[in-house]
């Protein structure tokens, strides 16, 4: 039996069973980070309808807080997001509310999203809901092109470091904070295959270990799970 540690709780556990059969893989999910929503800011200062979202936490925050405190209906917003999972979550919410399909642009990474905004929306203004540890990629790209972007920090990501009682056959990471949390209490446990969802997480892993990092061509859960399966064939 091949033991795999996932360093976050997967929203779609059935996908794991489908692509990593339980008769071959023993998969444990353990969240090594926790996200805490911050107190909602003063909404009166927000007037933008172009919304940038790069994490599921910010999407959930938006639907839970933002539009309830403004005079704008959801029909007024245009979305610029990173990741197909975020796109699906937004579409599902609009379907649930019986609203028309929103204007939405999605890329796999922040850099191509920034290029699209710079090229097609050079005179628009944007509001970027994010966490305290967000990357500077998007804000820097937009401000350097003189595009107005208002950053609103709506949550913080905290370490939830745990000393693992066993050594796994592989570890799977989903964020730089998860990488940092793992190595806070698990020194010397890096001589095993390590998998990352995307480039940003892989770059974080390189600062902690010389072990090879395996990463799918696109930052999608299905492709990551297929990569793990292929590796252990």
């Amino acid at each position: 039996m091949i033991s795999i540690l996932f360093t976050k709780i997967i929203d779609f556990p059935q996908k794991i069973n489908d692509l990593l059969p339980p008769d071959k893989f023993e998969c444990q999910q353990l969240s090594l980070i926790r996200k805490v929503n911050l107190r909602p800011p003063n909404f009166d200062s927000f007037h933008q309808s172009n919304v940038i979202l790069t994490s599921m936490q910010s999407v959930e925050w938006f639907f839970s807080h933002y539009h309830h405190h403004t005079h704008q209906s959801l029909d007024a917003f245009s979305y610029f997001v990173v990741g197909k999972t975020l796109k699906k979550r937004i579409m599902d919410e609009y379907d649930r509310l019986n609203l028309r399909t929103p204007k939405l642009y999605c890329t796999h990474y922040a850099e191509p999203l920034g290029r699209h905004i710079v090229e097609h929306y050079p005179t628009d203004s944007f509001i970027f809901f994010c966490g305290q540890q967000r990357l500077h990629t998007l804000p820097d790209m937009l401000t350097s092109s003189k595009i107005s972007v208002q950053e609103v920090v709506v949550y913080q990501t905290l370490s939830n470091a745990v000393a693992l009682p066993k050594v796994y056959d592989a570890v799977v990471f989903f964020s730089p904070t998860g990488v940092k949390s793992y190595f806070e209490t698990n020194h010397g446990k890096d001589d095993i295959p390590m998998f990352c969802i995307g480039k940003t997480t892989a770059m974080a892993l390189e600062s902690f270990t010389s072990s090879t990092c395996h990463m799918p061509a696109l930052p999608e859960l299905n492709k990551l799970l297929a990569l793990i399966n292929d590796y252990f064939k």
Side-chain angles (χ1 to χ4, degrees), residues 10 14 18 21 28 33 59 66 70 76 82 84 106 132 146 150 163 181 212 214 225 229 232:
I10 304 301
Q14 186 57 43
D18 290 343
Q28 180 178 355
I33 63 173
V59 172
Y66 182 53
T70 69
V82 174
K84 292 171 63 176
C106 174
Q132 284 183 326
K146 296 182 171 52
Q150 181 177 6
S181 180
T212 300
H214 305 276
L225 297 175
N229 196 351
F232 286 103

Side-chain angles (χ1 to χ4, degrees), residues 132-144:
Q132 284 183 326
Q133 299 186 34
R134 66 101 178 95
L135 297 177
H136 296 276
T137 306
L138 268 173
D140 287 354
M141 290 181 70
L142 300 187
T143 55
S144 65

Side-chain angles (χ1 to χ4, degrees), residues 21-121:
D23 60 343
K24 179 180 178 181
F25 294 94
E26 179 186 4
C27 298
Q28 180 178 355
Q29 301 177 50
L30 180 65
S31 181
L32 296 186
I33 63 173
R34 57 190 180 94
K35 296 182 179 182
V36 180
N37 284 339
L38 301 179
R39 182 177 180 179
N42 180 8
F43 293 94
D44 293 338
S45 62
F46 302 156
H47 305 288
Q48 300 91 334
S49 60
N50 293 319
V51 178
I52 298 175
L53 301 164
T54 60
S55 70
M56 185 60 74
Q57 191 77 11
S58 61
V59 172
E60 298 298 346
W61 186 95
F62 176 82
F63 286 127
S64 298
H65 296 281
Y66 182 53
H67 78 274
H68 293 302
H69 292 81
T70 69
H71 298 295
Q72 301 183 75
S73 70
L74 282 177
D75 285 328
F77 295 106
S78 297
Y79 300 95
F80 301 81
V81 306
V82 174
K84 292 171 63 176
T85 304
L86 273 61
K87 176 182 178 180
K88 183 179 185 303
R89 174 66 182 90
I90 293 170
M91 293 297 193
D92 287 347
E93 183 69 9
Y94 274 67
D95 286 343
R96 185 183 73 82
L97 297 173
N98 293 317
L99 297 173
R100 63 180 177 82
T101 301
K103 184 177 180 180
L104 188 152
Y105 186 81
C106 174
T107 62
H108 290 292
Y109 290 103
E111 189 172 346
L113 181 62
R115 288 198 300 266
H116 176 80
I117 292 174
V118 169
E119 181 177 352
H120 297 281
Y121 301 89

